[in-house]
Amino acid sequence: SLFRLKDLEVAELGDSDVHVKMLAAPINPADINMIQGTYAILSPLPAVGGNEGVGEVLEVGRRVAALKPGDWVIPAGAGLGTWRTQGVFPEEMLLKVPSDIPVLCAATLSVNPCTAYRMLTDFETLAPGDSVIQNAANSGVGQAVIQIAKASGIKTINVVRDRPDLPKLVERLMALGADHVITEEMLRKPEMKDIFKSIPKPRLALNCVGGKSTTEMLRHLQPKGTMVTYGGMAKQPVMVPVSAFIFRDVRLRGFWMTQWRKDHVRDQESLASMMDALCQLIRRGQLTAPACTEVPLQDYKAALEASMKPFTSSKQILLL
């Protein structure tokens, strides 16, 4: 096993440092990929796992102005190492979040909802009544896309893999505000035409799978529409028919939240307005944490195993 639970000394508090007591941290696919060494970021070893979570400020260095004890903070970027009970971090590695939102919402805020928000905002100008199609719709990002789109009056067509408890999953996604939930097999069926009687064909497709699922999804995209790829769960390339390029001029783009943060380091306004928008949705009950299973830190092995099972529809959250 690559993992051990270790007791470490808490580092001394420097002038620009913040001493944080971690409250909760999720296990995301990217965390596992980083540990396996199949991700674009590699932490120097030995490293603390976890890229996301929420903590409470215990103490701040004398040069720290923006944070005070009692504030809630989340990581400003990837690689913080959130699977720990306490840590001392430079102030610029942390973002303040309101402490009046549910702890699980704060713990799962910095990766999936931000990814969903940016993809809905940055690639196509969508107006109420427009539609979006996405695969892996029951993932953390997928659930956030459904809710953020719903709050903006945008219709969602949500593709999921067929599974034994499909009706239960469909019900859960509809309860979040999904307009249509379909299986990958249905993408190929003539019944798809019925969906487009009531809503327009999507201008935006969000792809987290690759392979056949993506090719099928692309067929329903409007001419000049954009498909954004942000993951590759099928570990297969994106195959695009030549005709889609020539006759429909579709655009293929990619998105990685970590890169967006790097590109906007000097643009704190974009970041602040996104966080504000997301926290507003959370306060209004329009954006909830994904389905979560809360696990005490000492049971981390079971949590890691559960997070790697196929068809997981619950995110493992370490309680620290």
Side-chain angles (χ1 to χ4, degrees):
S1 158
L2 296 161
F3 287 97
R4 275 188 215 90
L5 201 51
K6 282 189 76 163
D7 285 323
L8 302 170
E9 288 288 307
V10 175
E12 224 164 281
L13 189 74
D15 288 349
S16 309
D17 289 342
V18 180
H19 183 185
V20 177
K21 172 190 185 301
M22 291 302 296
L23 301 172
I27 299 176
N28 291 317
D31 301 330
I32 306 284
N33 295 343
M34 264 175 86
I35 292 152
Q36 292 166 336
T38 58
Y39 203 61
I41 308 174
L42 295 173
S43 296
L45 299 174
V48 178
N51 289 293
E52 191 179 32
V54 61
E56 183 185 328
V57 175
L58 294 178
E59 198 187 346
V60 299
R62 59 190 180 91
R63 285 218 195 94
V64 175
L67 294 170
K68 59 182 189 311
D71 285 347
W72 278 14
V73 288
I74 62 174
L80 191 67
T82 53
W83 300 345
R84 62 172 101 210
T85 53
Q86 296 191 18
V88 170
F89 308 107
E91 179 185 18
E92 71 268 12
M93 291 176 74
L94 302 168
L95 275 182
K96 184 177 165 176
V97 291
S99 54
D100 65 342
I101 61 174
V103 70
L104 294 182
C105 287
T108 54
L109 182 61
S110 65
V111 179
N112 294 337
C114 290
T115 299
Y117 182 93
R118 295 265 54 106
M119 292 195 302
L120 287 170
T121 310
D122 295 351
F123 296 92
E124 289 281 346
T125 310
L126 299 171
D130 284 345
S131 80
V132 174
I133 190 167
Q134 63 166 347
N135 54 24
N138 60 314
S139 66
V141 172
Q143 292 175 57
V145 164
I146 290 170
Q147 296 174 86
I148 296 166
K150 171 85 174 173
S152 326
I154 293 158
K155 309 284 182 204
T156 56
I157 302 157
N158 301 282
V159 185
V160 296
R161 288 182 296 176
D162 201 1
R163 62 193 66 212
D165 58 350
L166 185 66
K168 222 162 80 187
L169 175 62
V170 171
E171 197 180 313
R172 206 158 61 80
L173 296 183
M174 296 299 272
L176 288 180
D179 294 282
H180 298 275
V181 181
I182 58 175
T183 61
E184 294 189 348
E185 290 69 39
M186 258 199 72
L187 278 173
R188 287 174 214 117
K189 301 253 167 80
E191 291 91 299
M192 283 299 290
K193 288 196 187 70
D194 297 339
I195 289 180
F196 298 122
K197 282 176 187 157
S198 58
I199 64 175
K201 285 207 155 191
R203 287 225 310 278
L204 181 66
L206 307 176
N207 166 46
C208 177
V209 178
K212 209 176 210 159
S213 161
T214 309
T215 312
E216 296 298 339
M217 198 166 64
L218 203 61
R219 288 175 31 184
H220 303 291
L221 202 57
Q222 268 190 38
K224 294 201 188 319
T226 305
M227 183 173 78
V228 183
T229 292
Y230 68 98
M233 283 159 55
K235 296 188 166 47
Q236 289 162 348
V238 169
M239 305 286 270
V240 182
V242 170
S243 60
F245 280 126
I246 299 175
F247 303 121
R248 292 196 294 125
D249 188 18
V250 297
R251 278 155 234 264
L252 266 61
R253 302 283 309 270
F255 183 76
W256 187 33
M257 194 62 220
T258 302
Q259 189 62 45
W260 187 91
R261 289 187 197 281
K262 279 187 193 142
D263 294 345
H264 292 79
V265 164
R266 307 243 175 303
D267 174 13
Q268 285 304 303
E269 230 159 273
S270 294
L271 182 63
S273 75
M274 168 170 68
M275 298 316 274
D276 282 351
L278 292 171
C279 288
Q280 281 301 348
L281 289 174
I282 291 169
R283 283 198 194 93
R284 290 194 209 117
Q286 292 177 308
L287 178 62
T288 54
C292 290
T293 305
E294 301 174 43
V295 183
L297 181 61
Q298 56 269 28
D299 300 342
Y300 73 94
K301 284 197 174 114
L304 283 165
E305 271 167 38
S307 73
M308 294 197 263
K309 285 203 181 91
F311 299 122
T312 22
S313 41
S314 188
K315 200 178 270 294
Q316 303 291 310
I317 305 255
L318 300 171
L319 295 182
L320 307 160

